[in-house]
Amino acid sequence: MREFTIGPNDAGQRLDRWLSKTLPLLPAPLAQKYIRIKRVKRNGKGAKRDDRLVKGDVLQLYINDEFFDAPTPENAFLSVFKPQLDIVYEDENLLLVNKRPGIVVHPDEHERVNTLITHIQAYLYQKKAWSPYWENSFAPAPADHEPKDQGPGDRKVLPLRGAGLHEPARGQAGKLFIKG
C-alpha cells in the first residue's frame, strides 16, 4: 500500500486523471477497476473515479508495486491492458503469433508500447508465465526471422513470428517457419 497526500497543485483534479498522471504504467481500464473494487481509497473510504481531489486528501493505493515504476522501454508492457495477439501455436517454450500488418516488432523512437514484443510480454506477464522481476537477463524475444533469398515461386510463411519463452527455445523456432 502506498499513501499520497494531495497538495495544492493536484487539488481540483478528478481521481482517475490524477491516477493516470501519477501511475503512467497503470492501464486506464485497470485503474477504473481498482477504483471500483476499492483498491483506491480517499481519506480511508472508497472513492469514485470522478471525485474531485481536495488539498489534504489522503489517497491509499492498494496497487502492485510495478505500476509505481517510472516508464522505461523495459517495462512498457505493463501499460498494455489487453494484448492484441493472434496466437497460432503455444507451448511452454514457444509462442507463434500471426503478426498484424503495420505493427512494429521492436520498440523504437517512434513507438514504445504498441509493438509485437510489448504485446507478447504483456500477454505472458498477465498469464503469470514470465516476469522481468523473476529473470536476471532473459526476456521473450523473436526466435527467428523470415527466410532470406526466396525466389518468386517460394511461399513465405511470415508474417508469423515466434517468440522464445525460455532461452533454449530460441534456436528451435525456425523449424516451425519452414513450410514445404
Side-chain angles (χ1 to χ4, degrees):
M1 190 271 296
R2 300 221 186 161
E3 193 169 273
F4 295 86
T5 302
I6 300 301
N9 291 331
D10 292 327
Q13 287 187 68
R14 283 178 29 166
L15 174 61
D16 59 346
R17 299 238 170 95
W18 180 88
L19 270 176
S20 70
K21 291 176 186 174
T22 305
L23 305 175
L25 290 176
L26 183 65
L30 191 55
Q32 301 296 334
K33 179 181 178 179
Y34 284 169
I35 293 169
R36 190 178 66 251
I37 64 172
K38 297 184 179 22
R39 289 182 72 178
V40 176
K41 297 185 183 244
R42 178 178 173 207
N43 300 322
K45 298 177 183 170
K48 304 272 189 245
R49 69 184 186 104
D50 57 351
D51 282 353
R52 295 281 176 179
L53 301 176
V54 177
K55 180 182 174 191
D57 277 347
V58 177
L59 299 178
Q60 295 94 15
L61 307 180
Y62 297 87
I63 295 175
N64 298 0
D65 287 337
E66 60 264 22
F67 293 114
F68 291 93
D69 293 342
T72 66
E74 291 77 30
N75 64 13
F77 69 92
L78 289 171
S79 60
V80 177
F81 180 66
K82 187 172 184 212
Q84 304 280 321
L85 295 173
D86 179 10
I87 298 173
V88 176
Y89 173 82
E90 180 179 8
D91 66 21
E92 67 182 24
N93 294 312
L94 186 70
L95 177 69
L96 191 63
V97 298
N98 191 8
K99 181 185 167 294
R100 295 188 324 266
I103 190 169
V104 295
V105 176
H106 298 280
D108 62 15
E109 63 275 357
H110 302 292
E111 183 57 63
R112 294 191 181 271
V113 175
N114 193 26
T115 69
L116 185 61
I117 294 298
T118 54
H119 281 260
I120 288 171
Q121 289 175 340
Y123 169 75
L124 295 172
Y125 181 77
Q126 290 173 13
K127 69 179 254 179
K128 297 181 180 8
W130 169 82
S131 172
Y133 307 107
W134 304 336
E135 305 287 344
N136 291 321
S137 63
F138 177 77
D144 207 359
H145 300 284
E146 64 183 277
K148 304 236 186 295
D149 301 324
Q150 290 186 330
D154 292 340
R155 291 177 48 156
K156 284 192 176 183
V157 181
L158 285 182
L160 295 179
R161 292 286 179 151
L165 306 185
H166 301 285
E167 190 66 34
R170 285 193 180 168
Q172 302 299 315
K175 296 174 185 164
L176 294 174
F177 291 121
I178 299 168
K179 194 169 185 178

